[in-house]
Each structure stands twice: as C-alpha cells, then as structure tokens.
Amino acid sequence: SYEFVGLRKDGSTLDIGAHGARATYAGRPAIVALFQDISEHKRAEEQIQAYVTQLETAFMSTVEVATNLSEMRDPYTAGHERRVAEIAAAIGAQLGFDARRQEGLRVAGHLHDIGKIMVPAEILAKPGKLSQVEYKLIQAHPEAGYGALKDVNFPWPVAHIVLQHHERMDGTGYPDGLTGEDIPLLARVLQTVDIYDALTNSRPYKQAFTRHRALEILEEEAGKGWRDPEVTTR
C-alpha cells in the first residue's frame, strides 16, 4: 500500500491511495491494483488530529490551572510542582519509559500536591516547627489529592501516584506505610524528585541545600532503605 499526491490536467492535486496484491490470471502471475482518491479521507484525518491536539492542549491548560491555584495558596513553594513534573519526566526517560508514560509522570508531578488545598495557608507558610495536629493535617494531603482526582478518567494512574508519593521504601511513609516494590515505580520516581526539589529550594523553615549535597543526601538515604536506589541513581 502506498499514498502519493497526483496531479490533474487542470493543475490541481489530489491524494491517491494505491493498493496492490499478487494474483494469477489465465495461469500466469499478475498484480491486481486499486487506485482511489483519498483526499477527503486525508482531510478528515487531519481534522481529527487537529481536534486531538486541541483537546491535549486544553487538558494540560486545565492541569496548569490546578497548579496555579495550589501555588496561590502556598507562594513559598511556587514552581515546585512544575519542577517536579519536568524532572520526573526526565527520569522516566532515563528509565526507558515511552513518551506516553513520561507524560503521565509529568501530569502527576503537576498535581501531586493538589491535596494541600485543604490545608490552612498559615500552616503551609509557618516558619517554625509544626505541632502534632498541624503535621497530621499536612500528612492528609495525599489522601485529599486522591479524593479529588480518583474519578477523573486519566489514561495514567495519576490519583494513585498522588496518593503514594509520600510512601517510603522502608515503610516509614504515609498514608499506608507501604514498603519496597509495593510502592509502584511511578510513585517511587515522584517521591524521589519531590524530596530532591524540597532539598534544593528554600522554605520558610529551612535554607536550600546545594544540588550536590541534595544528591548526596538522596544516595545516603537510598543506602538506608528510605529511597529507591534505582531511581536515585538516575
């Protein structure tokens, strides 16, 4: 099967589809060929692709709106979701994920802290140590994010990644205390990047580490079973 552009006598063009098959005619080898005008079909395909592109753009714009709303409530972490999204997708590429799976990581990165919308702004921006009650409210944000996203029909398990991005390899994370490979790989990628970005950016309660020191910390913790060594080395 082939497609090519044909030229009419009047100088106009048309898209042609050519299909050939081997056959036998009167006892001799032959080829049966069919040529047809596929111009309308090609135009319909182009319109469908344009529509899909428009939907994808609208989808990512909606994700951006959710990210902006989250950042408006917590200006001290402005840019955190975007950085996590891009670094997570880059690590996904290093791990051999295809483009579709990388995009799932990017979307989850943008939305991983959406549950913080239910945390009072004064707690998010508090410069001192959190009380036990305040810390419990912070710890509830993965479940709140899961609740907000679980009914959205994403082509990736975004809600579960958001739910599990504070789990730890040694079981010390939350909300479910999962261990090792019980934590899906996509969530393990996101948790590592989330910590890296938190280490390398200042917060009201701490100064930023250098990138070199942050990577050292991740490697040290991977050795203790707190981080996924496979993801950390990427």
Side-chain angles (χ1 to χ4, degrees):
S1 297
Y2 299 92
E3 293 181 8
F4 58 92
V5 177
L7 181 66
R8 294 188 178 94
K9 288 183 178 180
D10 63 4
S12 62
T13 60
L14 73 161
D15 295 297
I16 296 176
H19 305 272
R22 291 179 179 177
T24 301
Y25 178 72
R28 300 179 60 185
I31 293 176
V32 177
L34 170 67
F35 293 82
Q36 60 184 140
D37 183 350
I38 59 170
S39 301
E40 288 298 324
H41 176 70
K42 293 284 285 186
R43 277 193 287 272
E45 282 186 340
E46 290 168 359
Q47 289 174 349
I48 290 171
Q49 185 55 51
Y51 181 59
V52 169
T53 301
Q54 184 180 21
L55 284 177
E56 290 174 346
T57 301
F59 169 74
M60 286 308 299
S61 296
T62 304
V63 170
E64 285 282 343
V65 168
T67 301
N68 290 337
L69 289 172
S70 178
E71 290 181 348
M72 286 170 63
R73 297 196 68 254
D74 187 10
Y76 291 100
T77 61
H80 169 69
E81 287 88 351
R82 291 176 175 82
R83 291 190 298 270
V84 168
E86 294 309 313
I87 297 172
I91 289 179
Q94 289 288 319
L95 290 168
F97 294 174
D98 59 25
R100 182 179 176 83
R101 210 174 182 198
Q102 291 173 42
E103 189 68 8
L105 269 174
R106 183 175 287 107
V107 171
H110 275 287
L111 297 175
H112 75 281
D113 276 344
I114 194 69
K116 285 185 176 178
I117 288 178
M118 52 77 66
V119 180
E122 59 269 23
I123 294 178
L124 295 174
K126 186 176 179 178
K129 185 177 179 179
L130 297 176
S131 69
Q132 188 173 0
V133 172
E134 290 169 336
Y135 188 56
K136 287 291 184 184
L137 283 172
I138 291 287
Q139 285 185 310
H141 81 270
E143 291 173 290
Y146 174 79
L149 299 171
K150 64 182 176 64
D151 294 325
V152 180
N153 190 24
F154 292 108
W156 319 277
V158 172
H160 282 91
I161 297 172
V162 170
L163 177 66
Q164 296 156 347
H165 80 277
H166 274 290
E167 300 288 356
R168 299 290 180 260
M169 297 291 287
D170 63 359
T172 59
Y174 56 86
D176 296 318
L178 300 179
T179 60
E181 294 188 2
D182 288 340
I183 308 168
L185 180 55
L186 296 180
R188 302 200 311 263
V189 171
L190 199 65
Q191 65 172 225
T192 301
V193 179
D194 187 33
I195 292 294
Y196 171 78
D197 190 74
L199 290 171
T200 53
N201 288 274
S202 296
R203 299 290 173 84
Y205 49 85
K206 74 167 190 67
Q207 292 297 311
F209 290 99
T210 64
R211 293 182 179 182
H212 178 72
R213 179 56 188 146
L215 291 173
E216 284 183 338
I217 292 171
L218 287 176
E219 290 175 2
E220 291 165 4
E221 297 303 336
K224 298 173 185 176
W226 187 50
R227 289 265 142 242
D228 182 347
E230 180 183 9
V231 176
T232 300
T233 57
R234 302 292 172 167

